[in-house]
Amino acid sequence: MLTKRLNCIINYIDADTVADIGTDHAYAATELIRTGRANKVIAADVRQGPLNAAMENIKKYGMTDRIEVRLGSGLSVLEPYEADTAIIAGMGGELIWEILRADIDTARSMELILQPMNSQCELRKLLINNGFTIVKEDIVCEGERVYNILIVRNGTQQPFQSEIEYHIPSCLKTHPLYNMLFNKKKREFIKIVNGLENSKDKDDERLGYYRNLLDILLKI
């Protein structure tokens, strides 16, 4: 059974060829074929161990003719326009950006479904400042864990009008799980502020930044 996080990602896909970057056990890849959401999947991983596990699952479900495995880093395993959609999930936001930046032409040639485990604010800024558009965002919860999912395409997007939106975009306010995300950010800001206040080497600029964000958040 897939996790809610992977199910949500898969539900956004309806494509001929999908690249599953960091495929691990190929759970998403096999589900894409099983549900008919993709005709072909390129399942890639930078490590041979996860790729071996992926190949075992692909063989188990009899999908070796529909899922191709490739060993390599990020989008380097692809040519531009080889895939319609790429999934990059379960990694830090800044690592996701490094993967995109390393093969920027390939990144621009397809739709991207990104699920950053952290640094969501930084990832949004990097995408918008480098010619990508966040066309939609979603929220998924698994127990107490809250995940952001970003649907991204090549194209110009205007920067957000306020800094807080890079942390918690206003487009999510009507989402049924918005309160979960709001409380997560509140806990995060409080933890950072408390840590900075109690630090021996105070960073007044960073402390002021997060105090201001917390004040704004509490007024939303």
Side-chain angles (χ1 to χ4, degrees):
M1 179 183 291
L2 286 187
T3 63
K4 289 182 180 179
R5 178 174 61 93
L6 285 180
N7 263 319
C8 184
I9 289 169
I10 286 168
N11 286 338
Y12 278 104
I13 297 174
D14 181 11
D16 181 51
T17 302
V18 176
D20 182 18
I21 305 301
T23 191
D24 196 19
H25 286 68
Y27 293 137
T30 53
E31 185 68 5
L32 283 166
I33 298 299
R34 187 190 72 80
T35 57
R37 292 187 172 274
N39 293 320
K40 176 184 176 181
V41 178
I42 299 165
D45 208 288
V46 71
R47 297 173 296 160
Q48 188 65 55
L51 212 58
N52 290 339
M55 286 189 284
E56 287 300 315
N57 277 330
I58 293 163
K59 289 176 184 176
K60 175 183 174 182
Y61 294 110
M63 296 178 179
T64 53
D65 60 329
R66 305 280 297 279
I67 303 175
E68 179 185 347
V69 296
R70 296 183 186 178
L71 178 65
S73 175
L75 299 177
S76 68
V77 299
L78 301 170
E79 294 295 328
Y81 301 99
E82 186 176 9
D84 307 295
T85 303
I87 302 169
I88 309 178
M91 308 175 198
E94 290 174 303
L95 175 57
I96 289 175
W97 173 250
E98 286 304 308
I99 288 171
L100 301 179
R101 187 182 64 83
D103 294 277
I104 196 73
D105 290 338
T106 304
R108 294 193 189 283
S109 72
M110 66 186 86
E111 183 171 80
L112 305 166
I113 302 182
L114 312 177
Q115 186 270 298
M117 299 296 282
N118 55 40
S119 301
Q120 293 88 357
C121 167
E122 289 78 7
L123 179 58
R124 290 184 185 100
K125 286 183 178 180
L126 287 163
L127 289 167
I128 292 170
N129 291 341
N130 287 277
F132 288 92
T133 297
I134 303 169
V135 297
K136 185 175 176 61
E137 290 209 32
D138 207 340
I139 308 168
V140 179
C141 293
E142 292 177 6
E144 295 298 314
R145 302 201 70 173
V146 183
Y147 300 101
N148 291 92
I149 294 171
L150 286 68
I151 315 301
V152 175
R153 294 176 190 154
N154 185 47
T156 303
Q157 177 176 343
Q158 290 298 313
F160 290 137
Q161 292 185 346
S162 62
E163 183 70 11
I164 194 69
E165 288 221 53
Y166 288 100
H167 292 270
I168 183 165
S170 59
C171 66
L172 292 171
K173 282 185 178 180
T174 58
H175 196 287
L177 297 175
Y178 177 78
N179 283 345
M180 295 288 287
L181 179 62
F182 179 91
N183 289 330
K184 174 190 175 183
K185 299 307 295 185
K186 180 181 174 182
R187 291 193 301 271
E188 178 185 314
F189 291 165
I190 289 172
K191 182 178 179 180
I192 293 172
V193 167
N194 288 341
L196 290 169
E197 287 177 339
N198 294 317
S199 174
K200 291 181 180 179
D201 301 313
K202 277 196 174 181
D203 185 337
D204 290 331
E205 183 177 348
R206 191 159 182 259
L207 177 58
Y209 173 80
Y210 278 100
R211 275 178 174 166
N212 184 55
L213 283 177
L214 182 57
D215 286 343
I216 295 169
L217 185 73
L218 295 176
K219 290 174 184 175
I220 293 177

